[in-house]
Amino acid sequence: MTAKPARKPLVAGNWKMHNNHFEAIALTQKLAFTLVDRDFVATDIAVLPPFTDLRSVQTLIEGDRLRLLWGAQDVSEHEDGAYTGDISARMLAKLGCQFVLAGHSERRQYHHEDDALINAKVKRILDRAMTPILCVGESLEVRRAGGYLELVQAQLDGGLDGLTAAQVAGMVVAYEPVWAIGTGEVATPEDAQEVCQAVRKRISAVHGDATATGTRILYGGSVKADNMPAIMAEPDIDGALVGGASLDPGEFVGICRYRNPRGASP
Ligand code: PGA
């Protein structure tokens, strides 16, 4: 597999259902005060606020010409129409979103999203020229039973079904073992690498090596500033999807500056 430096690292903060739009502005401003150009040269840094915050975050980032990227946590599988409560990819593209999560484990668990639905969402995101972050990952039961590589491969195949090699090359896949999300129980770097490498190998088998070399693969699950350097030392891990720690600007900046664990800008 090609050397890791070809892929620019990505750190994305998944705020989940936290922060109203005032709080979102305050958090974005704190990140803007701390992060400097060198941080953004080294790493793509994105925030993924709730829908109701997106316009405020967009206005702040664009108005102040910040180099932060932003995106949404979910999208409707429908183009538009009578779908009360849903948000379309067209709306998110108009809000300048660069990224949209698809198939986060909390969507799979609490909203019963399956791979076919997630695949439809991925296609909507791509149709509007945004980058899907396809989330995959096994539960604790599956991890204990040992079938986690097969499960992740099935989620990957389902989520990417019908996409072209070029589309897959531009995508982000986030491996998030459910047992590590919000639990403080981070996967070991070796465990995370094993699955991320299997994801890249599968993409290579289906779409070829050049495609697999392009796809960015993130790890997510209890990432903090102090465990990030070891995670990023693994060859197939290109960044992190960060939940809880993304709500704390100091911790999030520390994660973004994983090359220098003491937190100075690179
Ligand atoms: P966590 O969440 O960092 O709080 O474990 C990760 C995620 O769900 O994306």
Side-chain angles (χ1 to χ4, degrees), residues 51 54 72 74-81 86-100 120-132:
F51 291 134
L54 279 170
D74 185 36
V75 67
S76 171
E77 72 275 28
H78 301 291
E79 173 83 40
D80 52 30
D86 283 356
I87 301 290
S88 73
R90 191 171 72 90
M91 295 167 183
L92 297 178
K94 198 70 184 167
L95 287 164
C97 290
Q98 293 94 35
F99 296 102
V100 184
K121 294 185 176 196
V122 166
K123 288 173 177 163
R124 290 288 176 211
I125 298 163
L126 288 167
D127 281 350
R128 294 290 169 181
M130 297 178 290
T131 300

Side-chain angles (χ1 to χ4, degrees), residues 14 16 104-106 176 180-184 220-223 241-245:
N14 173 14
K16 307 194 179 186
H104 189 279
S105 64
E106 286 150 18
E176 298 203 308
I181 294 178
T183 59
S222 299
V223 173
L241 183 56
V242 184

